Structures are given as structure tokens and as C-alpha cells.
């Protein structure tokens, strides 16, 4: 046991009562102070590795949010790559001349399917390389590293994040944009598959 210079046990670290106690060095404008269920302090999913620390669960939720945001941004932009999707969105936004001919395939049988598969493949390869470099032995969790920004897969061909200051700002912009995209794509799908179908909408709305 570690001892003080004048004897006695070292003080026990204070248990976190909020994700803010972890003092995330990467979170600035994207910190909206919202975690009413204290999910960031949970355990049993991401922190099963022997090397897990109290911040591991929080770090993995941050990692997941960034990655889900990226997929949502890609999905939202994909709407504009297919005419049926564009028309459906215009109809939802109130255009009287737009025709909503979108079906359950969401146009994936045309241009979007190959692009989606390529995107998933690139993401899977990046995840594999990330997990290969870790030593925690848990493929379901990202190892906590305070100096690694959540979601960083080492891909920056334009060199936008050359210093910690710029990459921190870009990270917060990405998180906020990802949240908006997740809300946007969820709203689009909800209106398309629930509200548009009168029989379903009548049951749940």
C-alpha cells in the first residue's frame, strides 16, 4: 500500500457521481450536460477487461456516439443521392409537387447499396486495426486512453488535426453534427415508415 511521507494510507480516490468527474479533455461545446440516467457510470458491458478503469464505460459511450454520428451523417447525405429519397424528403417538408414513391428498400437497390457496403467495409477494417493495437483482450470494448480522442481511427488525409487545439474543436463540431444527423435520419425514417402509414400511425400516435 502506498504511504504518505508522514505515514498512513493514501486517500481513496473519490468515486465519480457524474461523467463530469472524469474531466474529459476532449469535450467542450458538445458537452450539453445531459446524462439523466448516469449511463456513463454504468458497468458490466464495456469494462469487463482486466485493464478496465472507471472511465472505460464513459469512454466507450463517447466512442459509440462519434461512430453512430458518422453513419448517420453518411445516411443523411445519401438521401440526396437518390431521386426517390429526395422526393420523399421534399414531401415531408411540405412540397405539394413532390411525389413520395419511396418503398421499403429506401433506394438501396440502386446507387446507395454499393456505397453503403464500401463504407461498412472501411469502418470494419478500421475497427479491426484499432482492436489489433489494443492489449485489453476485449473485442467488445475500446481500451481507455486519455490521450486518444474518442472515435479517432487515425484517418486524417488532409491533416486538419495537426495540433490538439484544432482537433479538439473539429471533434466537438463532429459530435454536434453527428447528433443532428442522428435526429434527422431518425425523423425521416419515422415519418416514412410510421406516419405515412395511416394504420400504423393511428395505433401509436
Amino acid at each position: 500500500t502506498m504511504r504518505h511521507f508522514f505515514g498512513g494510507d493514501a486517500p481513496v480516490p473519490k468515486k465519480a457521481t457524474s461523467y463530469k468527474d472524469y474531466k474529459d479533455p476532449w469535450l467542450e461545446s458538445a458537452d450539453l450536460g445531459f446524462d439523466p440516467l448516469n449511463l456513463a457510470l454504468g458497468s458490466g458491458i464495456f469494462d469487463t477487461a482486466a485493464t478496465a478503469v472507471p472511465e472505460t464505460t464513459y469512454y466507450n459511450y463517447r466512442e459509440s456516439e462519434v461512430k453512430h454520428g458518422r453513419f448517420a451523417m453518411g445516411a443523411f447525405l445519401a438521401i440526396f443521392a437518390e431521386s426517390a429519397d429526395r422526393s420523399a424528403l421534399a414531401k415531408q417538408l411540405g412540397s405539394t409537387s413532390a411525389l413520395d414513391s419511396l418503398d421499403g428498400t429506401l433506394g438501396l437497390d440502386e446507387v446507395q447499396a454499393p456505397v453503403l457496403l464500401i463504407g461498412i467495409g472501411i469502418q470494419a477494417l478500421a475497427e479491426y486495426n484499432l482492436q489489433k493495437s489494443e492489449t485489453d483482450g476485449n473485442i467488445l470494448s475500446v481500451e481507455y486512453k486519455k490521450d486518444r480522442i474518442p472515435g479517432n481511427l487515425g484517418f486524417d488525409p488532409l491533416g486538419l488535426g495537426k495540433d490538439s487545439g484544432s482537433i479538439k474543436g473539429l471533434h466537438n463540431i463532429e459530435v454536434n453534427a453527428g447528433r443532428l444527423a442522428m435526429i434527422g435520419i431518425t425523423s425521416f425514417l419515422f415519418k416514412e415508415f410510421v406516419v405515412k402509414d395511416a394504420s400504423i400511425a393511428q395505433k401509436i400516435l
Side-chain angles (χ1 to χ4, degrees):
T1 304
M2 220 175 141
R3 301 273 180 178
H4 287 298
F5 181 75
F6 294 106
D9 292 334
V12 178
K14 183 181 178 182
K15 186 177 181 180
T17 58
S18 165
Y19 76 90
K20 290 181 177 293
D21 293 336
Y22 295 142
K23 303 188 185 310
D24 188 338
W26 303 107
L27 199 60
E28 292 181 335
S29 63
D31 184 5
L32 303 180
F34 186 78
D35 184 18
L37 301 179
N38 267 344
L39 296 177
L41 304 181
S43 60
I45 300 176
F46 300 117
D47 61 347
T48 57
T51 57
V53 295
E55 292 87 350
T56 298
T57 295
Y58 166 74
Y59 189 74
N60 274 269
Y61 275 123
R62 289 266 284 113
E63 184 91 8
S64 296
E65 180 182 34
V66 173
K67 292 172 182 176
H68 281 81
R70 288 170 182 167
F71 274 115
M73 286 188 281
F76 194 80
L77 289 175
I79 291 175
F80 302 97
E82 209 280 323
S83 59
D85 287 344
R86 291 195 300 271
S87 297
L89 180 60
K91 187 73 173 179
Q92 289 186 12
L93 294 175
S95 174
T96 55
S97 60
L99 177 64
D100 185 354
S101 60
L102 194 63
D103 58 18
T105 66
L106 289 175
L108 293 178
D109 54 339
E110 298 177 12
V111 180
Q112 297 170 352
V115 176
L116 180 63
L117 290 174
I118 291 172
I120 292 175
I122 293 173
Q123 178 70 23
L125 180 61
E127 291 288 346
Y128 172 75
N129 287 331
L130 175 64
Q131 289 292 336
K132 190 170 64 172
S133 68
E134 295 183 352
T135 59
D136 62 353
N138 185 0
I139 197 171
L140 300 178
S141 173
V142 175
E143 188 175 17
Y144 173 69
K145 296 176 182 177
K146 192 171 184 176
D147 60 345
R148 176 186 173 272
I149 196 165
N152 183 10
L153 298 176
F155 182 75
D156 184 19
L158 300 179
L160 298 176
K162 291 182 178 179
D163 58 81
S164 60
S166 61
I167 197 172
K168 186 186 297 185
L170 290 171
H171 171 70
N172 282 266
I173 291 173
E174 181 183 31
V175 171
N176 284 324
R179 290 170 180 169
L180 287 175
M182 285 188 279
I183 293 171
I185 197 67
T186 301
S187 300
F188 174 76
L189 294 175
F190 181 77
K191 283 190 173 186
E192 189 62 34
F193 293 109
V194 177
V195 177
K196 191 172 78 171
D197 190 322
S199 61
I200 298 177
Q202 189 175 13
K203 294 177 182 178
I204 67 173
L205 298 178

